[in-house]
Amino acid sequence: MPAADTTDAAEPVPPSPTDETPASIRPKGFGLAAATALVMGNIIGGGIFALPATVAPYGTVSLLAFLILSVGAVLLALLFGKLARRSPVTGGLYVYPRDAFGEFAGFLSAWSYWTMTWVSIAALAVATVGYADVLLPLGDDKVLQAAVALAALWLPAAANFAGTRWVGGVQIVSTILKFVPLLLVATVGLFFIDTDNFGPFNASGDSVPGALAASAALLLYSFLGVESAAMSAGEVRDPERTVGRASVLGTLGSALVYLLGMVAVFGLVPHGELAESGAPFADAVDAMAGGHWGGTLIAAVAVASMVGCLNGWILMSAQMPYAAARDGLFPAAFARVGKGGIPGFGVLACAVLGTLLIGLNYTAGPDTTFRVLVLITTFTGCVPYLLSAAAQLYWLAQGSRERVRPAGLARDLIVAFLSFAFSFWLIAGAGYAAVYQGVLFLFAGIPVYVWMRGRSAGGAV
């Protein structure tokens, strides 16, 4: 019986065929610094800049939800570090369920995650517009707003074709660019907080547990990306060690910036104004510094942050279908890579689908659509989290006692179980509408799986 996957005693399983691409084709360009920057760059993007206004209607209970979410995100980072030791290959959140439960589970995880990436990318590009409006007033011109959102999407998409080394370099620069001023503003802003601005603890009209779960489901959008290093493990040097470290360091660093930033924004902007704000962090800096120069500066940082986040997320959107296509579960075009090691068709497909959603956003109304897109990403993002946690529980249940230290087994079981429960709680908190729409997105992939499996069984390529 195979040994459980514990750091203390278990031997890592050999890499799956997914990682057999020659190094000359898929260069490993991410060290610990670049991998940590990739995690932080993907996490810190639209969340801290756009979501304070989105969750403000729930009241300051959302700050408690954020604290719980931070703990859950660290648990997920620990989980992905353990899983990457077992399968240090690209497309981790697809590989783990596939190896544990078979190809159909792997496909559902891959399809759900892929859906989450391009929906999330569209939502983030839309969120960029609110801060671009501070720099260059766009007014109510929907065409101009859509053009800015499309530019925010396509510029980093074009940069991705340059290769993983360029993506890693951009992530380091953009992460430093946004992390330093955000941390400075969040810490200095704490001295300007007016407690009267926080408003009621629970302003939702719902029960506290209900408001807690609902606000956490929205805030999860700010932590999507905790799995970034695991998803790109095939491009990471020494992934068995680097993925876990980068995941935890990137998550802890992001959580620190987020927590300080959220508290500062809630304490600097009156509750009623915050709930209606299109650029809450810029409004917070204006309240702290006086005038509008501070808000303009932070708006520039926000735009750079979001574009840098899109740069990393577009890479993530190509990695999952790449891994599935290598196994014949996604169309073969997703498995083709260019000289820079980037699956070009996956990048292009994500950009095109994101473009369609942006067009829908400015047709149906951005205020409504952005919230819907965020909640859909909560569901579609949590499905692979939940399946990955289940895969770890499955492997731990298979472990033989004589090869596993009890302390290591207990620790890994606790991390895996809490990660599963955390993901389940977030799915429930997303609400009936988001779960319904997310299930539709998920089930829409089943015909693709049937077609690919049928072609494979029939000998078609």
Side-chain angles (χ1 to χ4, degrees):
M1 185 175 291
D5 179 37
T6 65
T7 303
D8 293 327
E11 300 177 1
V13 173
S16 82
T18 305
D19 202 40
E20 290 179 353
T21 308
S24 60
I25 297 178
R26 299 180 61 232
K28 294 191 176 184
F30 294 159
L32 178 60
T36 302
L38 180 66
V39 174
M40 290 189 66
N42 284 355
I43 291 176
I44 300 177
I48 195 169
F49 297 113
L51 286 179
T54 306
V55 298
Y58 293 99
T60 53
V61 68
S62 57
L63 295 178
L64 177 59
F66 182 82
L67 187 60
I68 296 172
L69 197 60
S70 298
V71 175
V74 172
L75 285 171
L76 289 173
L78 291 170
L79 173 70
F80 296 140
K82 296 291 184 182
L83 289 168
R85 284 181 174 270
R86 189 181 197 281
S87 301
V89 297
T90 292
L93 272 68
Y94 151 72
V95 174
Y96 312 143
R98 181 204 64 188
D99 289 351
F101 309 121
E103 290 185 342
F104 185 62
F107 173 82
L108 286 181
S109 185
W111 181 268
S112 186
Y113 188 88
W114 181 62
T115 300
M116 180 272 291
T117 58
W118 56 265
V119 173
S120 178
I121 286 167
L124 185 54
V126 169
T128 306
V129 175
Y131 284 90
D133 185 55
V134 176
L135 301 173
L136 181 65
L138 304 175
D140 295 326
D141 189 336
K142 301 300 182 185
V143 174
L144 190 56
Q145 292 175 359
V148 171
L150 290 173
L153 170 64
W154 280 96
L155 285 175
N160 262 264
F161 288 102
T164 55
R165 291 185 183 274
W166 282 95
V167 173
V170 170
Q171 287 306 116
I172 292 176
V173 173
S174 64
T175 299
I176 293 174
L177 181 65
K178 61 195 172 187
F179 182 78
V180 173
L182 281 176
L183 186 57
L184 176 64
V185 169
T187 52
V188 173
L190 296 177
F191 294 98
F192 293 84
I193 285 177
D194 183 349
T195 55
D196 292 336
N197 291 335
F198 283 102
F201 178 70
N202 181 10
S204 67
D206 196 0
S207 65
V208 171
L212 196 66
S215 57
L218 284 167
L219 287 167
L220 176 66
Y221 180 72
S222 64
F223 270 110
L224 293 176
V226 63
E227 72 287 346
S228 299
M231 285 300 303
S232 295
E235 282 75 42
V236 174
R237 294 192 294 270
D238 190 15
E240 292 87 349
R241 298 178 60 192
T242 303
V243 168
R245 293 178 178 181
S247 297
V248 173
L249 289 175
T251 302
L252 287 174
S254 301
L256 175 63
V257 174
Y258 273 156
L259 184 59
L260 295 176
M262 288 281 288
V263 171
V265 170
F266 269 74
L268 288 167
V269 183
H271 179 260
E273 295 180 19
L274 181 59
E276 301 295 329
S277 176
F281 217 85
D283 290 342
V285 176
D286 281 341
M288 181 179 68
H292 295 287
W293 68 268
T296 301
L297 178 62
I298 204 65
V301 173
V303 171
S305 171
M306 293 177 183
V307 172
C309 185
L310 283 165
N311 175 69
W313 267 111
I314 289 171
L315 173 64
M316 295 299 100
S317 74
Q319 299 291 17
M320 179 67 90
Y322 167 82
R326 292 272 300 170
D327 290 341
L329 298 181
F330 259 58
F334 284 95
R336 300 187 189 123
V337 296
K339 293 181 179 180
I342 297 291
F345 184 81
V347 171
L348 180 62
C350 166
V352 170
L353 290 168
T355 297
L356 294 176
L357 281 183
I358 289 172
L360 174 63
N361 180 80
Y362 287 100
T363 300
D367 292 337
T368 300
T369 309
F370 178 77
R371 182 184 177 88
V372 170
L373 291 179
V374 168
L375 287 174
I376 290 175
T377 62
T378 296
F379 174 83
T380 53
C382 280
V383 168
Y385 291 171
L386 189 144
L387 289 174
S388 295
Q392 176 72 332
L393 289 170
Y394 170 78
W395 284 317
L396 290 172
Q398 280 192 327
S400 54
R401 291 183 180 273
E402 64 272 14
R403 297 185 61 187
V404 178
R405 294 180 183 178
L409 176 60
R411 178 195 61 209
D412 291 351
L413 277 172
I414 290 172
V415 169
F417 177 78
L418 290 179
S419 296
F420 184 94
F422 175 67
S423 302
F424 192 87
W425 177 65
L426 287 171
I427 289 175
Y432 294 108
V435 172
Y436 168 73
Q437 292 162 339
V439 168
L440 291 181
F441 272 104
L442 188 63
F443 286 179
I446 293 178
V448 177
Y449 175 80
V450 171
W451 174 256
M452 296 303 300
R453 291 296 295 149
R455 285 171 59 85
S456 176
V461 178

